[in-house]
Amino acid sequence: MLPILDLHDAATDATTFRAALREAAHDHGFFYLTGHGAPQETLDEVLRLAREFFALPVEEKNEISQLQSPQFRGYSRLGGELTNGQVDWREQIDIGPEREVIPDAEGYWNLQGPNLWPARPAGFRQAFENWSDTLSHVGLRLLRHWSVSLGAPESFFDAAFAELPATLLKVVRYPGSADRTQGVGAHKDSGVLTLLLVEPGSEGLEVETAEGAWIEVPPVEGAFVVNIGELLEVATGGYLRATRHRVRAPRPGTDRVSIPFFLNPALDAVIPIIQLPPDLAALSRGVEADPNNPIFNTYGENAWKSRTRAHPDVAQLHHGIEPTQPASAY
């Protein structure tokens, strides 16, 4: 079982909470978070809206097809995303900050632009824009606690998020399958940290342990599942290590709905490197080297790598990028 941390504890005993936060991210890269302040009725609302969207006819969902978006926003059909070159069995909507397109953008600046919002269900856009704002605040609170726990000022990461953070929200459904095992393949997240809301009773999320085994991560009532991304691994020289995880395709007759929120800095932000205290630096493992999946300290480069690999059809259609590299999920 992964650690369960209560953010309320930070107000009464910040030192103990910060130590537990640091060790959870060092030992596991994953933990549960309660006391985050998001009301249960809000959690229920976004899950309900997700269900209502996925119940729409496929023709209506395809009205906001990601194939219409150079920014990789909107609805991705079943089988529309890849991980490690293999098809993921899920459908989803990708939602980012609502901004103007940059004229004549190059590279990762193509990720900035508008969303594609569904006409139904009613209230979808407002609910998920509010949800993104709520989770941004939770994520930044965690980052400030991590900074202090690692010997840095509380504001250490603030500048990277001060202007135009490139957050990403996914609304995801994994249908049951008798002949598929990969809901989403094993991967690390490319940003700073992820806050995941999972529908109660869902199955399928697995995390890789340091020994190479895979453990189940079931939902905990009222809690987010939190994991760190590659940029926190970079920022701490590997003391905090992004952990591989995957989702098994659900059993036939069942499905899984989840809403991951990715807290990311500005596209051109270079993640600062923490000078760790000697006792922590001695435990740093270095940034994991993988020639097929380079980690960049500029967030936009990491994001562009992930998006173009995971959605080669969009990358080819809008950006002329041939799908020659193995895919890596976001």
Side-chain angles (χ1 to χ4, degrees), residues 13 18 23 35 69 98 163 222 247 271:
D13 187 352
R18 288 165 176 165
E23 295 312 308
S69 172
E98 191 76 29
E163 295 184 20
V247 176
I271 202 71

Side-chain angles (χ1 to χ4, degrees), residues 50 57 70 77 118 160 173 179 203 230 244 246 249 252 285-286 306 308 326:
R77 71 197 185 284
R173 174 179 173 266
D179 55 5
E203 300 176 346
E230 292 173 336
R244 293 205 311 159
R246 65 189 184 190
R285 295 157 288 195
S306 296
T308 55

Side-chain angles (χ1 to χ4, degrees), residues 3-325:
I4 300 178
L5 304 184
D6 187 340
L7 192 51
H8 282 141
D9 293 342
T12 56
D13 187 352
T15 300
T16 300
F17 175 81
R18 288 165 176 165
L21 180 67
R22 182 187 66 228
E23 295 312 308
H26 174 73
D27 294 340
H28 306 282
F30 268 79
F31 59 91
Y32 295 101
L33 184 72
T34 62
H36 43 69
Q40 185 62 47
E41 55 266 29
T42 303
L43 276 61
D44 295 340
E45 179 190 28
V46 294
L47 288 168
R48 174 185 61 80
L49 289 167
R51 277 278 174 204
E52 290 182 11
F53 173 81
F54 290 125
L56 294 173
V58 65
E59 296 82 5
E60 188 169 350
K61 290 184 284 190
N62 276 328
E63 289 176 1
I64 59 164
S65 169
Q66 192 177 102
L67 292 173
Q68 303 173 43
S69 172
Q71 292 77 41
F72 299 83
R73 310 283 180 85
Y75 174 69
S76 181
R77 71 197 185 284
L78 282 173
E81 185 169 18
L82 305 177
T83 304
N84 302 319
Q86 303 299 312
V87 173
D88 293 329
W89 197 238
R90 61 179 180 174
E91 56 178 335
Q92 62 192 358
I93 302 177
D94 284 52
I95 302 166
E98 191 76 29
R99 297 186 182 129
E100 296 293 326
V101 170
I102 298 175
D104 302 318
E106 295 185 3
Y108 59 73
W109 289 112
N110 285 291
L111 298 176
Q112 179 168 309
N115 291 295
L116 300 180
W117 295 104
R120 295 196 297 162
F124 187 96
R125 175 173 179 171
Q126 188 63 58
F128 282 99
E129 287 184 332
N130 291 344
W131 185 247
S132 184
D133 289 342
T134 296
L135 268 63
S136 290
H137 291 303
V138 174
L140 290 171
R141 286 177 66 190
L142 289 177
L143 269 185
R144 290 170 183 142
H145 287 303
W146 259 313
S147 296
V148 177
S149 78
L150 295 165
E154 185 178 69
S155 60
F156 187 78
F157 291 109
D158 285 4
F161 294 85
E163 295 184 20
L164 303 180
T167 57
L168 179 67
L169 180 65
K170 285 178 176 278
V171 185
V172 188
R173 174 179 173 266
Y174 301 85
S177 177
D179 55 5
R180 296 178 182 271
T181 59
Q182 179 171 306
V184 61
H187 67 283
K188 295 181 177 184
D189 293 342
S190 64
V192 172
L193 67 90
T194 304
L195 295 157
L196 173 69
L197 175 63
V198 186
E199 195 173 50
S202 297
E203 300 176 346
L205 177 61
E206 296 180 335
V207 170
E208 188 176 34
T209 68
E211 296 74 32
W214 291 91
I215 60 172
E216 182 84 16
V217 184
V220 168
E221 185 176 0
F224 297 138
V225 179
V226 183
N227 65 279
I228 67 167
E230 292 173 336
L231 288 188
L232 269 188
E233 182 172 327
V234 169
T236 63
Y239 177 81
L240 303 184
R241 176 68 63 82
T243 306
R244 293 205 311 159
H245 51 287
R246 65 189 184 190
V247 176
R248 299 190 324 272
R251 292 168 292 146
T254 68
D255 65 358
R256 171 188 175 88
V257 169
S258 63
I259 304 174
F261 171 81
F262 303 88
L263 181 71
N264 306 312
L267 286 169
D268 60 348
V270 176
I271 202 71
I273 308 301
I274 291 179
Q275 188 69 37
L276 294 173
D279 58 326
L280 299 182
L283 300 174
S284 294
R285 295 157 288 195
V287 177
E288 189 171 49
D290 180 348
N292 291 320
N293 184 36
I295 300 176
F296 304 100
N297 61 358
T298 299
Y299 170 64
E301 293 183 70
N302 245 17
W304 187 243
K305 168 199 69 177
S306 296
R307 304 301 277 165
T308 55
R309 289 183 176 188
H311 298 280
D313 49 358
V314 179
Q316 185 173 29
L317 178 64
H318 291 286
H319 306 294
I321 298 174
E322 297 296 326
T324 57
Q325 297 294 324

